[in-house]
Amino acid sequence: MTQLDAGPSTGRAADTTGGGGGKGLGGNSVGLLGSAVIGVSTVAPVYCLTSTLGSTAGEVGLQMPAVFLAGFLPMLLVAFAYRELNKVMPDCGTSFTWTVKAFGPRVGWMCGWGLVIATIIVLSNLAGVATSYFWLLAGEISNNASIASLDDNKAVHILTCLALIAAATAISYRGMTATKGVQYTLVGLQLVVLAVFVVMAVAKAGSADFAGTSVDFSWSWLNPFSVQSFGAFTAGLSLSIFMYWGWDTCLTANEETIGSDKTPGRAALIAMVVLVGSYLATGVAAQMIVGSGDKGLGLANPETSDNVFAALAGPVMGPTLGILLFIAVLASAAASLQTTFIPVARTVLAMSTYEALPASYARVHPKFRTPGRATVTAGVATAVFYTVMTLVSEHVLVDTIYALGLMICFYYALTAFACAWYFKAELRRSARDFTFKGLFPLLGGVLLSAVFIKTLVDMWNPAYGSGSSVFGVGSVFVIGVGLLLVGVVIMLVMGRRSPAFFRGEILNRQTPVLVVEEP
């Protein structure tokens, strides 16, 4: 084992110690391609497109592709921060570990909490979407509307959802190798079906069947300055940022990746390029064939905007190939449901290893080399969260999803600022260090902070989200801020149980990085 205070490692990172020994994760389980595939899978591009194409078009009209590009920019800038931090601290705690080293234990703990709670919300939503598409697909294949309508039965919906969560938990529990094998198939299916949809949509645009909706392509669609108002732009940007969330899973699996100091960062960048390419191609093709209006098949039609592909599958791809689009959405949600367990389980593992959470969560399965207890706990938390929210009110569940953007901007921005601060003494060494360790992360953090503040202000209005309120305050604001405050309370409790961590004795900037040399 080699100790490094800074600088990229030459082998696989086993631990960034500070009182916890090696975490025991299975090393060298994933290569560059597998890591990039897991990153794309966690984002769930087909699921994101079907659920946000319509909403984004409703906010910004034909400038939707421009907003996709604008949302890509802060994500790309933050990705450079992740890459640089991972080179010197390839630790599965990622945002938590890095912000602790940069800003201290309390800021780092809240950053880790932001990632954990955001992931639980996403897991709940993914499980719900996968359940709905399971019954919708069953109805399409059997040509039986009564089977498709089973999704409207709350008891059937919840039981199916719990079964999917249990299956995803079991696969994640068995390790990165099992996860990787499933993902190659599911991600490949998504990208192939998207490509078929794009080709067929472009080919049919302007045909007699779509004469009333087709729109000729214009380069102005890629101009973000053509958006009608700043408020519409920030609303669309918030949706766009959500569409890219999850690429950092490549980094949380760094201790299980071949070449952990460089491979995860490269995989994250590859995943980002694949995502922005898919989003732009699909957005342009969809607008060319049905436009961004709010009538008929128009993307912004409120009756279909929350599930665009369900409305476009048949008209664009025909009854037979259209079923493939349903399968792709189900595969997208199911694949992401499985891989999204990776960041939450490994963040909890790292927090526990460094005594920021109870020691029991630091246990790694002796055979599968995975954070077993953390994975199962995440699955149980997701199941309970979704069940309770569904039984209480569908409006509450919707507002919880809207509050997700707040969590994403919160921990991404903190990580970006942590990079610039951690490397502040190195920024004058070279133009490269200044750009990739300072300028790009700082700009990414500022952009995400601006979106965070604007979203926070907008959430105060009850009209934001489902339209419900608590004592005149928007319920999205109450949920978003409330979840962050829950983290503060848990942090205070852990401060009494684990004072050494919060005094900075377990993990701090001087803590060396331990590296296991590869054979």
Side-chain angles (χ1 to χ4, degrees):
M1 231 178 226
T2 306
Q3 294 188 350
L4 301 174
D5 290 315
S9 68
T10 58
R12 182 186 67 81
D15 185 30
T16 305
T17 61
K23 300 186 190 73
L25 294 170
N28 299 323
S29 300
V30 185
L32 178 62
L33 178 60
S35 183
V37 165
I38 287 173
V40 172
S41 174
T42 305
V43 176
V46 178
Y47 154 72
C48 286
L49 284 166
T50 193
S51 60
T52 57
L53 272 175
S55 301
T56 308
E59 295 289 349
V60 300
L62 293 173
Q63 266 57 55
M64 176 177 61
V67 171
F68 287 168
L69 279 174
F72 172 70
L73 178 60
M75 293 293 101
L76 178 63
L77 296 174
V78 172
F80 284 115
Y82 272 74
R83 185 187 69 174
E84 296 303 319
L85 287 166
N86 184 72
K87 284 182 180 180
V88 298
M89 294 178 282
D91 185 279
C92 71
T94 58
S95 293
F96 159 74
T97 304
W98 301 334
T99 48
V100 169
K101 280 182 163 287
F103 299 132
R106 288 174 177 79
V107 174
W109 199 98
M110 285 304 300
C111 187
W113 170 256
L115 186 154
V116 168
I117 197 63
T119 307
I120 295 299
I121 294 173
V122 168
L123 283 168
S124 302
N125 189 37
L126 287 167
V129 170
T131 297
S132 295
Y133 265 89
F134 173 81
W135 289 113
L136 183 60
L137 178 62
E140 287 287 327
I141 293 175
S142 63
N143 197 26
N144 190 331
S146 62
I147 292 179
S149 66
L150 285 174
D151 187 56
D152 297 326
N153 183 311
K154 188 165 288 190
V156 172
H157 179 91
I158 291 176
L159 288 174
T160 307
C161 188
L162 295 181
L164 289 174
I165 292 172
T169 305
I171 295 174
S172 297
Y173 186 87
R174 292 182 62 85
M176 294 297 295
T177 302
T179 297
K180 180 181 65 176
V182 173
Q183 294 307 318
Y184 280 130
T185 301
L186 297 181
V187 170
L189 173 65
Q190 291 182 62
L191 297 180
V192 168
V193 173
L194 273 184
V196 173
F197 173 84
V198 168
V199 170
M200 296 188 72
V202 172
K204 291 185 176 181
S207 66
D209 293 338
F210 297 93
T213 60
S214 291
V215 182
D216 291 334
F217 171 76
S218 171
W219 288 106
S220 65
W221 294 359
L222 302 177
N223 181 11
F225 298 103
S226 296
V227 179
Q228 62 269 31
S229 69
F230 181 71
F233 176 77
T234 55
L237 187 62
S238 180
L239 290 167
S240 179
I241 288 173
F242 164 72
M243 291 177 69
Y244 291 104
W245 180 81
W247 55 266
D248 53 313
T249 300
C250 301
L251 282 300
T252 57
N254 51 16
E255 295 189 32
E256 296 149 277
T257 304
I258 300 170
S260 60
D261 57 333
K262 295 179 180 179
T263 300
R266 292 171 179 171
L269 293 176
I270 292 172
M272 293 284 283
V273 171
V274 171
L275 290 168
V276 72
S278 301
Y279 291 162
L280 285 176
T282 307
V284 168
Q287 285 191 166
M288 287 178 65
I289 194 167
V290 298
S292 61
D294 59 2
K295 305 295 183 184
L297 291 176
L299 295 177
N301 186 334
E303 296 181 3
T304 59
S305 62
D306 62 342
N307 194 350
V308 168
F309 287 153
L312 297 184
V316 175
M317 301 179 69
T320 303
L321 290 178
I323 291 179
L324 286 178
L325 202 50
F326 287 102
I327 295 173
V329 177
L330 175 58
S332 183
S336 184
L337 176 63
Q338 182 212 331
T339 54
T340 303
F341 277 100
I342 294 173
V344 65
R346 281 145 185 82
T347 298
V348 169
L349 170 68
M351 294 179 75
S352 180
T353 299
Y354 301 126
E355 302 182 22
L357 285 176
S360 59
Y361 293 107
R363 296 175 186 171
V364 171
H365 193 281
K367 178 181 178 182
F368 301 128
R369 307 285 295 278
T370 59
R373 176 165 294 214
T375 301
V376 172
T377 301
V380 171
T382 299
V384 172
F385 182 87
Y386 187 83
T387 301
V388 171
M389 292 297 101
T390 302
L391 292 175
V392 169
S393 170
E394 290 186 5
H395 291 307
V396 174
L397 185 62
V398 169
D399 287 340
T400 302
I401 296 167
Y402 270 94
L404 173 65
L406 203 67
M407 311 299 169
I408 295 171
C409 291
F410 175 74
Y411 86 84
Y412 273 165
L414 277 179
T415 307
F417 289 136
C419 179
W421 186 255
Y422 184 84
F423 292 115
K424 62 182 184 296
E426 303 177 22
L427 300 184
R428 296 183 180 180
R429 291 182 181 178
S430 67
R432 184 203 176 281
D433 284 345
F434 174 79
T435 302
F436 293 112
K437 295 180 180 179
L439 180 61
F440 283 179
L442 189 61
L443 286 176
V446 169
L447 289 173
L448 289 174
S449 296
V451 176
F452 177 87
I453 294 171
K454 183 66 169 61
T455 303
L456 200 62
V457 172
D458 291 344
M459 284 179 174
W460 184 269
N461 188 336
Y464 194 94
S466 69
S468 57
S469 63
V470 179
F471 300 115
V473 179
S475 60
V476 180
F477 180 93
V478 173
I479 292 170
V481 175
L483 289 173
L484 289 176
L485 291 177
V486 168
V488 173
V489 173
I490 297 175
M491 181 178 68
L492 294 175
V493 172
M494 286 305 304
R496 296 180 65 87
R497 295 186 58 179
S498 181
F501 169 79
F502 289 95
R503 288 196 300 262
E505 298 171 3
I506 304 298
L507 181 64
N508 53 57
R509 185 181 178 88
Q510 286 70 43
T511 303
V513 177
L514 298 188
V515 178
V516 177
E517 299 295 340
E518 293 178 0

